[in-house]
Structure formats: C-alpha cells, structure tokens
C-alpha cells in the first residue's frame, strides 16, 4: 500500500519530539532523608511524595470532596478555555510545567485547536514515562497537535525553550503547585521564568486562595484518610527503598492552617516514644512521643499577595478568573 495513503494527517511519529534533558538525581533521596531526620526539627522534602504509589494516591486526593482545588480549577478552565485561547495569535506554543497526566490541559488544547486549527504543546516533566504515556494519548486524540516534550527539571526545559526563541507562548503552571514554595522562592522561580518571556508571552498560574480554617484543614486531612496515607507513604517509601522499619501505625498525619504565614503545614506525628532503624544509612532515629516530621507546606494567597508575586517576578496580573464559590484562582501574568 502506498504510504501516501496515510497522508491525510501527518504521522504520529512526525508530530512527537521527546528530549531528555538530564538524568534524574538518584542519590539525593538518601541525602535528604539523612539530613531531614537528623535535624533538630525533623523534616522531609515534599517532592519525594511522588513515587508510583504516591502519585496514585495524589490522583485519588484530586477526586476527594474535601480537596476542592482540582475541581475548582477544572471548572474555571471549562468556562474560560475558549476566552483564554482567543487572547493568543496563531501559532501559539502551549508550555506546561509538571504536566503529569495533563487531564485539565486538554480543555485548553481543545480550545486552541478550535480557534487556530493547530497547536504545539511543550510539556516539561521530570517523569519521562509520564510524558510518553500522556503524549501518546494526546497524539491519538488530536491529529492537528504537535508535541515537543522535555523530560527534566523545569529550569532546563524553560532554558531550552528560551534559547529556541519560541513565541508567542502560553506557559501553564496549574494545580497550585506554586504553593509548595515559600513566597520568596516563588518570586525567584517566576523571575527566572520571566527571563525567558517575550512581550507577547503569558503565564497562566493556578493559585489557591486564603480561606477559613475548617475548609483548609479538611482539604489536607480528608475523612476517608487518603491524604493521611499519601503523607505516610513517605515513611513507607523509606522502608521500601532504604530498608527502614517505620511502623506506619505509630505515626499520624496532621494538617494545620497557619494564618500568619498563610500556609497549611502537614506533619507526621510520632504516637509514642520510639526508635527507627534505617539500614541503607546505617542510622537509628529516635522519636519522642508527639515529636513531628514536617512534610509539606501549602501556601495560600490573598488577591493582594498574588499581585505582589507578579510584580516581584517582573510581571503584572493582567487577568484573573475564579470558580463560582471564589475558592480558587487562575491568573494570567504578563511581562511588566
Ligand atoms: C500538588 C502541591 C498542589 O499542596 O495542595 C495535596 C499537594 N498535599 N494534598 C497541595 C497535596 C496534600 C498539593 N500540591
């Protein structure tokens, strides 16, 4: 059969480019566990949540009634994707930081394809497997979509895009991921992102808003206990990968809203005095009763603080949209 028979839309292979930017750092899990559990105030960095089990638990968190963030963000995109696509010229490149399974992104991809008939999607994600899976599904579903994916750290992917002088581009940073950084770190990161933006480029950033304690603490400690298992998976992961003997029944998950700093703090609290052995580190860690490991901060913003963040990064909040209950915000930042 002549190959021209298939030329109705460009072949899948021609529409996909996947670049691996660097090897993921392997040794730093051990280093982070060693440093974090020998510190005076015990802590573990939250990015280690996301192994296979943790990523699955996170997907379940996103479906929980208490975890309004995902639902609200999706509802804003359902209502506004068309309007957002109309703000950009053809051909626009849609960049996404930490796209994961890219399910909410489909709403924007569809809106851009409807408006312009074509689109380049450039997801940047640390997980190459995740990128391969979601790219293959997107290419099947959208014959006019081209994908230039980057497997690596955000900074490396953004540097590649900046070097390629791709413009106009809309960069997506969804899911309130900015909330894991403190406010200064957030401004520093966005300033780097700003450095690779031209006048026509925009950032669409999902930011969770400050609200009452009850709503916030329930969102981070749901009735079914999924978030507790997500937090405890960090200890399970240390057991699995570093040969530790954490008793998961002897720790409890706690979420506390701190209005002064404007963040929800997640902790694993030791329910009794105990000693844990971590084989791979040849380390014994002592816990007093009620002693905690700080595992995550989830920063919340007022509208004022979002405007501050944009300015601190050399940008302006040009537009913003809220869900019907005003719990969550999507913000369009433009270079100042
Ligand atoms: C993925 C960082 C946005 O902080 O809301 C959900 C992670 N932790 N439940 C958040 C999370 C507990 C989430 N982010």
């Amino acid at each position: 059969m002549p190959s021209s028979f298939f030329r109705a839309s460009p072949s899948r292979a021609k529409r996909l480019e996947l670049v691996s930017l660097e090897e993921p750092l392997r040794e730093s899990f051990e280093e982070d566990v060693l440093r974090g559990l020998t510190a005076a105030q015990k802590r573990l960095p939250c990015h280690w949540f996301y192994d296979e089990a943790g990523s699955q638990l996170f997907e379940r968190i996103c479906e929980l009634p208490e975890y309004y963030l995902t639902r609200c963000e999706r509802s804003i995109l359902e209502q506004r994707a068309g309007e957002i696509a109309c703000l950009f010229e053809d051909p626009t490149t849609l960049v996404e930081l930490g796209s994961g399974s890219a399910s909410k992104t489909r709403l924007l991809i569809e809106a851009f394809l409807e408006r312009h008939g074509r689109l380049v999607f450039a997801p940047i994600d640390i997980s190459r497997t995740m990128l391969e899976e979601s790219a293959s599904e997107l290419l099947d579903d959208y014959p006019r979509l081209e994908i230039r994916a980057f497997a690596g750290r955000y900074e490396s992917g953004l540097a590649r895009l900046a070097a390629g002088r791709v413009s106009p581009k809309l960069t997506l940073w969804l899911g309130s991921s900015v909330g894991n950084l403190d406010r200064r770190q957030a401004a520093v990161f966005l300033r780097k992102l700003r450095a690779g933006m031209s006048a026509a480029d925009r950032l669409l950033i999902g930011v969770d808003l400050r609200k009452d304690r009850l709503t916030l603490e329930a969102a981070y400690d749901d009735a079914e206990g999924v978030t507790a298992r997500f937090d405890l998976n960090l200890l399970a992961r240390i057991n699995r990968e570093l040969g530790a003997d954490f008793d998961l029944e002897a720790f409890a998950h706690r979420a506390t809203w701190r209005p002064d700093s404007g963040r929800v703090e997640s902790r694993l609290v030791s329910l009794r005095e105990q000693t844990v052995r971590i084989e791979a580190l040849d380390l014994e860690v002592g816990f007093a009763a009620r002693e905690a490991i700080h595992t995550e901060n989830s920063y919340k913003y007022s509208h004022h603080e979002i405007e501050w963040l944009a300015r601190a990064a050399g940008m302006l909040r040009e537009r913003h949209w809220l869900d019907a209950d005003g719990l969550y915000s999507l913000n369009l930042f433009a270079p100042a």
Side-chain angles (χ1 to χ4, degrees):
M1 195 175 301
S3 62
S4 60
F5 186 83
F6 295 104
R7 266 191 205 137
S9 83
S11 75
R12 271 172 105 263
K14 279 193 189 133
R15 290 186 289 124
L16 175 63
E17 184 181 280
L18 204 169
V19 180
S20 285
L21 295 170
E22 72 249 326
E23 291 302 307
L25 322 147
R26 190 57 217 105
E27 69 287 2
S28 53
F29 183 49
E30 292 182 21
E31 282 171 20
D32 284 353
V33 171
L34 176 62
R35 193 169 309 129
L37 294 186
T38 55
Q41 309 260 14
K42 294 185 173 63
R43 57 188 146 78
L44 291 168
C46 61
H47 59 258
W48 298 113
F49 280 144
Y50 302 93
D51 65 352
E52 184 70 34
S55 301
Q56 276 176 23
L57 285 165
F58 181 66
E59 300 269 303
R60 285 187 55 198
I61 288 176
C62 292
E63 311 278 304
L64 292 169
E66 294 95 335
Y67 197 73
Y68 59 87
L69 290 79
T70 314
R71 196 169 54 251
C72 290
E73 188 169 66
R74 182 172 289 116
S75 89
I76 302 170
L77 285 170
E78 275 163 3
Q79 291 190 41
R80 306 296 186 168
E83 188 181 333
I84 292 167
C86 286
L87 300 170
F88 294 85
E89 301 288 320
D90 172 47
T92 295
T93 297
L94 188 66
V95 179
E96 181 164 32
L97 304 182
S99 61
S101 64
S103 78
K104 283 173 285 184
T105 318
R106 282 173 171 256
L107 296 163
L108 281 163
I109 289 175
E110 282 170 24
F112 274 95
L113 287 173
E114 197 166 308
R115 165 125 178 110
H116 300 313
R118 60 172 171 173
L119 181 70
V120 178
F121 178 48
I124 306 173
D125 200 291
I126 195 74
S127 160
R128 190 183 163 103
T129 337
M130 201 68 130
L131 282 175
E132 279 167 355
E133 280 169 21
S134 80
S136 134
E137 284 170 19
L138 291 170
L139 290 172
D140 280 342
D141 294 350
Y142 307 111
R144 309 296 306 276
L145 184 69
E146 260 184 61
I147 301 185
R148 303 224 179 94
F150 298 94
R153 298 165 51 80
Y154 292 169
E155 279 90 347
S156 328
L158 289 169
R160 276 295 189 97
L161 283 163
R165 304 195 173 280
V166 179
S167 182
K169 59 181 179 290
L170 172 60
T171 301
L172 307 178
W173 197 21
L174 300 177
S176 196
S177 303
V178 66
N180 277 159
L181 303 179
D182 71 37
R183 289 174 214 282
R184 252 174 43 104
Q185 292 169 332
V188 167
F189 176 69
L190 291 189
R191 215 178 299 146
K192 283 189 214 154
L193 199 152
R194 162 71 184 89
M197 283 169 82
S198 310
D201 298 347
R202 297 291 183 270
L203 167 69
L204 188 67
I205 179 172
V207 182
D208 194 20
L209 299 171
R210 287 174 175 265
K211 57 186 61 65
D212 63 281
R213 175 183 300 274
L214 235 60
T215 306
L216 283 168
E217 291 184 350
Y220 290 88
D221 192 6
D222 61 284
E224 213 192 309
V226 181
T227 310
R229 285 170 50 200
F230 174 71
D231 205 359
L232 285 162
N233 178 56
L234 262 178
L235 305 185
R237 184 172 184 180
I238 299 173
N239 285 349
R240 283 192 295 271
E241 296 184 21
L242 305 182
D245 61 359
F246 276 104
D247 174 2
L248 303 193
E249 312 265 275
F251 288 85
H253 166 73
R254 299 275 180 266
T256 314
W257 167 238
R258 306 272 181 215
D260 292 349
S261 42
R263 69 191 201 195
V264 176
E265 298 174 352
S266 294
R267 294 199 156 64
L268 291 165
V269 178
S270 174
L271 296 175
R272 49 175 158 82
E273 191 184 314
Q274 56 184 316
T275 302
V276 175
R277 163 132 193 105
I278 306 176
E279 202 56 51
L281 302 176
D282 192 18
L283 178 71
E284 316 255 311
V285 184
F287 288 88
R290 289 193 297 279
E291 185 177 354
I293 309 171
H294 185 175
T295 54
E296 190 173 39
N297 292 321
S298 301
Y299 279 84
K300 308 302 168 188
Y301 286 74
S302 67
H303 288 287
H304 236 84
E305 287 168 328
I306 297 172
E307 280 158 12
W308 170 86
L309 178 63
R311 275 197 307 276
M315 297 192 261
L316 279 173
R317 178 158 84 153
E318 189 176 57
R319 305 278 308 265
H320 68 276
W321 300 272
L322 307 181
D323 59 291
D325 300 316
L327 299 177
Y328 190 90
S329 71
L330 258 193
N331 305 271
L332 194 68
F333 286 8

